[in-house]
């Protein structure tokens, strides 16, 4: 079972709106859902940049999106549905107040940006990194040191 089904989008858009916009083509709703989940994952996954090794929590994205039914995090689920609704509404404006959908999309992206920056810490599964590459103190907020000496040889 998928993280979100097209029927669950009915909590953010009315059935007739989804049917009219997608012309009752379920594959359009599935593409919007997949795109929304992919976008949310991109905010929750740490990048390969060095700054991500600064003690921020790293979420277990696979575990978050492998859950189904009542096990899913309600806020992540709603954010994914809002983003999917935005993706569907871009096709047409059939009796939908576009500004409301766009505003909810922007709110979702703002929240995800705060999570990615470490400003907000949601109650989500966290990756346990005990690698040698990680710092010994996971709560370390910054690193210090210097670069290797540069010599013109």
């Amino acid at each position: 079972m998928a993280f979100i089904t097209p029927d669950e989008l009915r909590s953010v858009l009315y059935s007739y709106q989804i049917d009219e916009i997608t012309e009752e083509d379920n594959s359009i709703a599935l593409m919007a859902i997949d795109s929304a989940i992919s976008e949310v994952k991109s905010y929750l996954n740490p990048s390969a940049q060095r700054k991500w090794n600064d003690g921020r929590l790293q979420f277990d994205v696979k575990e978050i999106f492998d859950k189904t039914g009542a096990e899913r995090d309600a806020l992540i689920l709603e954010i994914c549905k809002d983003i999917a609704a935005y993706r569907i509404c871009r096709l047409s404006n059939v009796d939908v107040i576009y500004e409301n959908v766009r505003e909810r999309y922007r709110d979702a992206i703002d929240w995800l940006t705060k999570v990615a920056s470490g400003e907000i810490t949601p109650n989500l599964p966290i990756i346990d990194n005990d690698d040698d590459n990680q710092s010994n103190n996971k709560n370390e907020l910054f690193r210090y040191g210097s670069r290797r000496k540069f010599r013109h040889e």
Side-chain angles (χ1 to χ4, degrees), residues 2-135:
F3 185 71
I4 301 174
T5 62
D7 289 338
E8 290 179 304
L9 292 178
R10 312 245 186 264
S11 66
V12 291
L13 293 171
Y14 291 112
S15 301
Y16 76 92
Q17 293 169 328
I18 295 172
D19 291 341
E20 285 186 35
I21 294 171
T22 63
E23 296 175 345
E24 297 184 18
D25 184 358
N26 215 20
S27 66
I28 293 173
L30 289 172
M31 285 189 294
I33 290 169
D34 289 343
S35 172
I37 289 172
S38 181
E39 184 169 355
V40 172
K41 283 181 178 180
S42 72
Y43 280 94
L44 297 177
N45 271 325
S47 68
Q49 295 177 2
R50 197 175 199 177
K51 69 179 184 178
W52 272 94
N53 198 12
D54 65 358
R56 267 185 274 191
L57 296 176
Q58 295 181 8
F59 302 105
D60 191 348
V61 176
K62 182 174 178 358
E63 184 181 340
I64 293 168
F65 288 98
D66 281 348
K67 294 183 179 180
T68 58
E71 296 176 340
R72 300 173 292 186
D73 184 78
L75 185 56
I76 295 293
L77 179 65
E78 285 302 309
I79 285 174
C80 286
K81 288 194 281 187
D82 285 339
I83 293 172
Y86 175 76
R87 301 249 187 264
I88 290 171
C89 287
R90 291 184 312 177
L91 291 175
S92 178
N93 193 3
V94 180
D95 195 24
V96 176
I97 302 173
Y98 180 74
E99 282 72 31
N100 288 347
V101 174
R102 187 176 58 192
E103 188 63 32
R104 288 195 336 230
Y105 170 79
R106 287 181 180 163
D107 291 345
I109 297 303
D110 288 344
W111 184 85
L112 289 168
T113 303
K114 289 177 183 177
V115 170
S117 69
E119 187 177 333
I120 296 176
T121 306
N123 188 19
L124 297 172
I126 298 169
I127 296 174
D128 187 23
N129 287 328
D130 286 334
D131 299 342
D132 292 335
N133 296 341
Q134 299 292 325
S135 69

